[in-house]
Amino acid sequence: MAVLRAYRRFVVVLWQFFPLIVAYLRDRRKYLVFGGRRRVTSEMRVRRAQRLLDSLLTLGPTFIKLGQLLSTRPDILPPEYVDVLEGLQDQVPPADWDEAREVLEADVGDVDEAFDDFDADAISGASLGQVYTAELDGDPVAVKVRRPGIEDLVEADLRVIRWTLPLVERFVGQARAFSLDNLADEFAKTIREEMDYDRESEMLAEIRGNFAGNDRITIPDVYDAYSTDRVLTMEYVPGTKISNVAELERRGVDRHAVAETLERAYLQMIIEDGVFHADPHPGNLAVQDDGTIVFYDFGMSGRADEFVQRKIVDFYIAVANQDIEAILDTLVELGTLSPEADRATMAEVMELAIRDARGESIETYRVQQIVGRVEDTIYDFPLRLPANLALVLRVATVVEGVCVTLDPDFDFVSVATDYLGETGYREEGARQVVEETADQFSRSAQSAVRVPPKLERALDRIDRDDLYVRADIEDSNDVIDRLGKRIVLGLLLAVSVLSTSYLYADAHLRAAAVTAGLAAVTAFYLYRSFRKRKRLQATPQFTRQSLRERRNK
């Protein structure tokens, strides 16, 4: 039954994406079967991204979540698609109350007996669940209920995605195919975790414990006795939506202080604690009248390992010091920048990004713009972006956007630099540099002692004609393979032309026609092989002009 449902969904999904598939095929072959590549403009990509957005909304909860995840993966989609999908939210109407009530009563018992009062109108309707307000022992609570029947739909859609991947991978490069496989695994893991309210309760409790001594952060408590893997009952903590600047101003809230508190909270979660709330859009953040920030919805949460934490610190320090080479080194080590990228070009891009990100003061930067420039480059190279790091990068840019909404003059990097200084990370980084430099000097001194004997042994072997050199050729772009094919085709064409001339002169017309046909076919494939040569040439993706054009879009 589940497989049959998956087959039906596969047909529906294929029908929804069919226009995009045809458009992509026409990009590769102008008239589908023959013709050269079409030039795809930025405007065309935006229109297609809008069409993709409509298709995702039509297909329902699973594909809405997939679109949200794709908006964090600039290594898979062009920037235009990422920009359009960034606005994708859970635009799904709440499930019928009677169906939601069945889930609730199956897990926690009769609603009228378990709760003092329960409002059947959901205050929030999302793709995987919805939130209701109620009273429990006289206290207001928020009750999150998983959408009825969502498990079967998600499992069917995950099968469809797995079946579709081999078709998609036929039209993309090897590196992006690898990224798509990783994305499918990541998506299946993420959406199953988000449907598991037991996991959300555990993550919420862990993060709440990490902020136990911080009176500027409030995280709702969980009522374990009224929570299961499908129902999550939490303390209801009201507040003003963090993006409602006018209301915050009316209530006399210090918006700059709120922005600084928010940034410091995320720096602590990512750099120190290693576990973080991963969905910081304004709907999940509220502010109380005293400036306390309230966090909601921990369904999307992640962990950062020690390596990622250390490299994020290095990145912030490098940006604060305007050390372009250190920024590039950190991005390469993190995997967000290809080691084969043109460093001179990327250094120019990063330098321009930092200049463009400066405010009126020379010390003001915008990390969101810096990371945005880097994200734009990821698709064009392309490369593989680690899943957890993609989540961290997206969290950083969204948080910076919220902070700038609160205070347009907010200096994100300055606050991060102060935080790193207060917590000792900058001094630790300086000590590490000194230790690494001393270690390099030590290794250099040891090498200076070892090299002369090795050099003498090598010269002795040369003198005895006993020196052999082994060379391995790296041919990741199949250049040598193409060259070999061209040589074979060229020889075959020459033989075919000579044979045709000889047979025609000897009045063997039928045989001459056959060899002439073979010569024509060979000439066609040889011509095609040279047409493909252009795609092997590497051209700089970024110049001052192209960066300016992107910025003006």
Side-chain angles (χ1 to χ4, degrees):
M1 187 67 181
V3 175
L4 184 61
R5 180 174 188 174
Y7 279 124
R8 288 199 299 266
R9 285 290 288 175
F10 182 75
V11 173
V12 172
V13 170
L14 196 62
W15 177 255
Q16 279 293 328
F17 290 136
F18 186 72
L20 288 171
I21 294 171
V22 172
Y24 191 78
L25 289 174
R26 288 195 63 197
D27 293 343
R28 295 168 63 87
R29 288 284 180 270
K30 193 171 183 181
Y31 301 103
L32 292 181
V33 179
F34 61 92
R37 284 180 174 268
R38 285 199 307 179
R39 181 176 177 272
V40 181
T41 64
S42 179
E43 292 74 16
M44 291 171 64
R45 282 179 173 173
V46 170
R47 287 197 300 270
R48 290 179 188 177
Q50 292 289 350
R51 191 180 303 159
L52 174 62
L53 178 64
D54 294 339
S55 297
L56 294 173
L57 290 172
T58 301
L59 289 170
T62 310
F63 286 88
I64 290 174
K65 286 294 178 185
L66 178 61
Q68 292 173 343
L69 182 59
L70 283 170
S71 72
T72 71
R73 298 301 299 267
D75 57 325
I76 293 176
L77 291 179
E80 295 86 352
Y81 284 75
V82 172
D83 291 341
V84 171
L85 294 180
E86 275 181 345
L88 184 63
Q89 298 298 330
D90 290 340
Q91 302 176 25
V92 180
D96 183 76
W97 161 242
D98 291 333
E99 295 178 353
R101 181 169 186 152
E102 289 182 14
V103 175
L104 189 58
E105 294 191 340
D107 282 34
V108 300
D110 184 82
V111 173
D112 297 328
E113 293 180 4
F115 298 93
D116 300 340
D117 185 42
F118 200 101
D119 188 349
D121 294 326
I123 61 172
S124 173
S127 56
L128 302 179
Q130 52 240 349
V131 181
Y132 301 88
T133 55
E135 280 193 13
L136 186 61
D137 297 332
D139 296 324
V141 294
V143 184
K144 188 176 179 181
V145 182
R146 190 193 296 172
R147 185 175 287 271
I150 192 65
E151 303 95 331
D152 293 337
L153 177 61
V154 167
E155 290 303 324
D157 286 341
L158 290 177
R159 286 192 182 191
V160 170
I161 292 169
R162 271 295 173 195
W163 293 344
T164 309
L165 268 183
L167 300 176
V168 177
E169 289 174 357
R170 290 176 61 89
F171 303 105
V172 299
Q174 184 179 0
R176 197 161 292 123
F178 181 89
S179 291
L180 284 171
D181 274 330
N182 279 354
L183 176 73
D185 294 337
E186 174 194 351
F187 178 63
K189 177 176 178 289
T190 299
I191 198 167
R192 287 179 179 131
E193 286 179 347
E194 198 167 346
M195 288 193 299
D196 184 359
Y197 291 171
D198 279 339
R199 177 186 179 276
E200 180 176 349
S201 175
E202 291 171 3
M203 298 293 277
L204 187 154
E206 183 176 352
I207 296 174
R208 189 171 188 269
N210 292 334
F211 286 98
N214 191 334
D215 58 1
R216 306 295 295 172
I217 301 294
T218 295
I219 297 173
D221 197 4
V222 176
Y223 290 76
D224 292 325
Y226 297 87
S227 300
T228 67
D229 64 332
R230 297 193 300 173
V231 176
L232 183 61
T233 304
M234 302 165 287
E235 174 187 7
Y236 178 71
V237 184
T240 303
K241 188 175 180 179
I242 199 167
S243 60
N244 191 347
V245 175
E247 181 63 18
L248 293 175
E249 192 72 23
R250 190 184 69 80
R251 291 175 179 270
V253 175
D254 185 342
R255 290 184 283 119
H256 176 82
V258 171
E260 184 170 340
T261 300
L262 180 65
E263 182 185 349
R264 285 174 172 269
Y266 270 96
L267 286 170
Q268 176 185 325
M269 282 189 277
I270 294 172
I271 294 175
E272 292 191 55
D273 303 332
V275 55
F276 56 94
H277 176 269
D279 197 14
H281 70 76
N284 288 337
L285 298 169
V287 182
Q288 296 181 316
D289 290 350
D290 63 352
T292 302
I293 299 176
V294 185
F295 287 80
Y296 303 122
D297 194 353
F298 288 77
M300 282 188 67
S301 50
R303 294 186 182 276
D305 58 41
E306 291 183 9
F307 173 78
V308 171
Q309 290 175 300
R310 188 167 63 251
K311 291 306 168 185
I312 289 173
V313 171
D314 292 343
F315 174 77
Y316 277 125
I317 293 175
V319 172
N321 295 336
Q322 302 181 50
D323 189 340
I324 304 298
E325 287 300 316
I327 293 174
L328 296 181
D329 288 341
T330 303
L331 293 176
V332 169
E333 291 169 2
L334 281 169
T336 60
L337 181 65
S338 170
E340 300 175 0
D342 184 339
R343 287 184 70 94
T345 302
M346 285 309 304
E348 182 183 11
V349 171
M350 196 58 62
E351 182 182 353
L352 291 175
I354 292 178
R355 283 185 194 169
D356 186 57
R358 288 176 179 173
E360 295 180 0
S361 169
I362 196 170
E363 296 298 328
T364 304
Y365 309 98
R366 288 278 188 271
V367 165
Q368 184 182 24
Q369 290 172 296
I370 295 170
V371 175
R373 298 293 193 277
V374 175
E375 285 183 346
D376 285 351
T377 70
I378 289 174
Y379 177 80
D380 292 325
F381 274 110
L383 55 88
R384 303 166 184 177
L385 185 63
N388 259 1
L389 185 59
L391 202 58
V392 171
L393 285 175
R394 179 54 53 197
V395 165
T397 56
V398 173
V399 169
E400 200 269 349
V402 173
C403 290
V404 171
T405 300
L406 288 167
D407 178 9
D409 297 323
F410 187 74
D411 189 342
F412 195 86
V413 173
S414 176
V415 173
T417 303
D418 291 343
Y419 178 87
L420 294 175
E422 293 167 11
T423 50
Y425 283 105
R426 294 201 74 178
E427 290 77 3
E428 182 181 339
R431 285 197 303 271
Q432 185 178 352
V433 169
V434 173
E435 290 171 2
E436 288 177 355
T437 303
D439 188 46
Q440 288 175 2
F441 274 118
S442 175
R443 288 198 299 269
S444 298
Q446 292 173 7
S447 297
V449 174
R450 295 194 190 110
V451 166
K454 291 182 179 180
L455 182 58
E456 185 176 358
R457 287 196 297 269
L459 292 173
D460 286 341
R461 294 188 66 180
I462 293 173
D463 189 49
R464 296 194 307 266
D465 293 330
D466 188 31
L467 183 67
Y468 298 92
V469 178
R470 176 182 173 181
D472 294 324
I473 299 176
E474 181 73 25
D475 188 26
S476 59
N477 289 326
D478 296 329
V479 174
I480 296 176
D481 184 53
R482 288 181 184 275
L483 182 59
K485 288 180 180 178
R486 289 170 186 169
I487 292 172
V488 172
L489 288 171
L491 290 172
L492 186 58
L493 177 61
V495 171
S496 300
V497 170
L498 289 173
S499 299
T500 301
S501 302
Y502 176 78
L503 291 170
Y504 182 77
D506 207 29
H508 292 83
L509 298 182
R510 288 188 178 180
V514 172
T515 55
L518 178 61
V521 172
T522 306
F524 171 73
Y525 279 106
L526 185 60
Y527 170 73
R528 280 189 60 186
S529 73
F530 280 101
R531 283 288 301 274
K532 290 180 180 178
R533 183 182 178 187
K534 294 179 181 177
R535 275 174 263 165
L536 297 175
Q537 295 174 345
T539 56
Q541 299 288 339
F542 296 90
T543 61
R544 292 176 186 269
Q545 179 63 27
S546 64
L547 189 59
R548 195 175 299 114
E549 288 174 357
R550 286 192 176 193
R551 195 165 57 239
N552 293 333
K553 285 176 185 175

